[in-house]
Amino acid sequence: MSSLRNIFGKPTFVQGAGDIYPITLKHYDEFMDLAHIIMLKKSQFPFKESDLAPYIDNPSALTTLDYIALNAVFEQSDELLVGLKRIFELVTRDRVDFKLSDTFNQFSVAYFIGEANSNIIHSKNYEKVRKTILEQNLISEPKEYANPLVAEWAAKAAEAKAANSKINIDIESMISSLQIAMGQEAIFFENFTIYQLYSAFARLGKFKEFDTELHLIGHSDKIGQVHFAEVTELMSDPSKEAFVDSSAINNLSKQL
């Protein structure tokens, strides 16, 4: 049985960090401007484990949050740390402060939540917090491929799919569609979560498909295949359709 947490906009509890809330549409633009930070992976930083070995014991044990702390020290910039702080303020709906530790052989950062600092986001629970935020807000991570050639194929497949798409739907068009369908002002949706908006828009589409089928009764034998309450998959995996079959890979390889 599926959970109703997302449709009701309820928070998800993460051990040590407390309740993590989904982003509402009134904070959508600010959140999306910062979302790239929580999608960072260790492979994207300009330093590697071999670069860190002379300065840090067991660099392979470092987490992505440790890398963000290291980047702040090496680049002498707290831009990423401050960006994370704001993300955590949005998702905890509380005050957040952070402390950067750059003592010998130890580079880390911790985010203290609330006046009492009773909850802390640190390198041990950051990954769980990060994944929770992505899932709540329907953000799919690009798949990482060990083989650079496969990674290039996947990128080309994604570009080809986007280029061949005949329909362009963004979050504003979803809001305006629901606005017309429900007879509401746009401001009505500002407290919707991203999940709630996508779910309502997908359901509206199912109702339209169902209505179309009803009008085709007696004119087509291809009816009865759509139900307005059919389960909709809101979280899609962008890598699933990257390689459909071997011929698709061969066609792409000719373009490389």
Side-chain angles (χ1 to χ4, degrees):
M1 181 177 178
S2 61
S3 170
L4 297 178
R5 180 183 290 112
N6 288 329
I7 195 65
F8 287 134
K10 299 289 187 181
T12 299
F13 180 80
V14 176
Q15 189 67 38
D19 284 338
I20 304 298
Y21 291 84
I23 295 296
T24 56
L25 297 182
K26 63 184 173 185
H27 294 129
Y28 176 82
D29 286 336
E30 183 180 11
F31 171 72
M32 293 307 295
D33 284 343
L34 299 169
H36 65 280
I37 300 175
I38 59 170
M39 297 181 73
L40 285 172
K41 297 186 178 181
K42 292 197 293 185
S43 60
Q44 294 175 276
F45 287 87
F47 43 85
K48 308 299 179 188
E49 287 183 13
S50 56
D51 300 323
L52 302 174
Y55 312 103
I56 298 175
D57 294 333
N58 194 17
S60 62
L62 294 174
T63 66
T64 304
L65 188 60
D66 295 329
Y67 267 55
I68 292 174
L70 279 166
N71 186 76
V73 174
F74 291 161
E75 299 294 328
Q76 296 186 339
S77 169
D78 62 358
E79 181 180 351
L80 295 180
L81 298 177
V82 172
L84 268 184
K85 173 179 181 291
R86 182 54 184 153
I87 289 176
F88 295 152
E89 287 173 340
L90 291 173
V91 301
T92 62
R93 301 183 183 177
D94 208 339
R95 170 182 170 177
V96 176
D97 296 301
F98 70 88
K99 182 179 180 182
L100 177 66
S101 172
D102 58 353
T103 56
F104 182 71
N105 273 357
Q106 180 182 357
F107 294 84
S108 62
V109 63
Y111 288 85
F112 300 90
I113 302 163
E115 294 291 340
N117 294 336
S118 55
N119 292 314
I120 305 173
I121 298 174
H122 46 68
S123 60
K124 296 291 192 298
N125 63 10
Y126 171 74
E127 190 60 24
K128 177 63 177 176
V129 171
R130 190 185 75 85
K131 288 186 175 180
T132 298
I133 295 171
L134 295 179
E135 290 172 4
Q136 285 178 331
N137 300 292
L138 298 177
I139 299 176
S140 298
E141 291 190 89
K143 184 176 177 62
E144 284 194 312
Y145 298 94
N147 187 319
L149 186 59
V150 175
E152 191 169 355
W153 278 339
K156 286 184 176 291
E159 289 175 6
K161 182 179 178 182
N164 291 331
S165 176
K166 304 295 184 183
I167 302 174
N168 182 23
I169 299 174
D170 61 14
I171 199 160
E172 181 180 337
S173 63
M174 291 183 189
I175 293 172
S176 60
S177 296
L178 290 172
Q179 179 187 350
I180 298 301
M182 298 171 64
Q184 296 285 351
E185 297 289 336
I187 197 72
F188 173 80
F189 299 97
E190 71 170 358
N191 289 317
F192 275 46
T193 66
I194 296 170
Y195 184 97
Q196 289 169 334
L197 177 74
Y198 273 69
S199 178
F201 182 77
R203 186 61 53 210
L204 176 63
K206 287 296 181 185
F207 267 102
K208 295 298 183 183
E209 285 184 68
F210 187 74
D211 285 343
T212 299
E213 281 211 348
L214 289 179
H215 285 94
L216 290 175
I217 292 177
H219 302 282
S220 173
D221 57 357
K222 295 182 180 180
I223 61 173
Q225 299 178 20
V226 176
H227 193 283
F228 58 83
E230 182 182 358
V231 173
T232 56
E233 183 62 49
L234 300 182
M235 176 66 86
S236 61
D237 182 352
S239 67
K240 275 187 178 180
E241 298 178 9
F243 305 119
V244 180
D245 53 37
S246 59
S247 63
I249 297 179
N250 290 334
N251 289 335
L252 281 170
S253 64
K254 292 176 183 178
Q255 302 175 35
L256 297 178

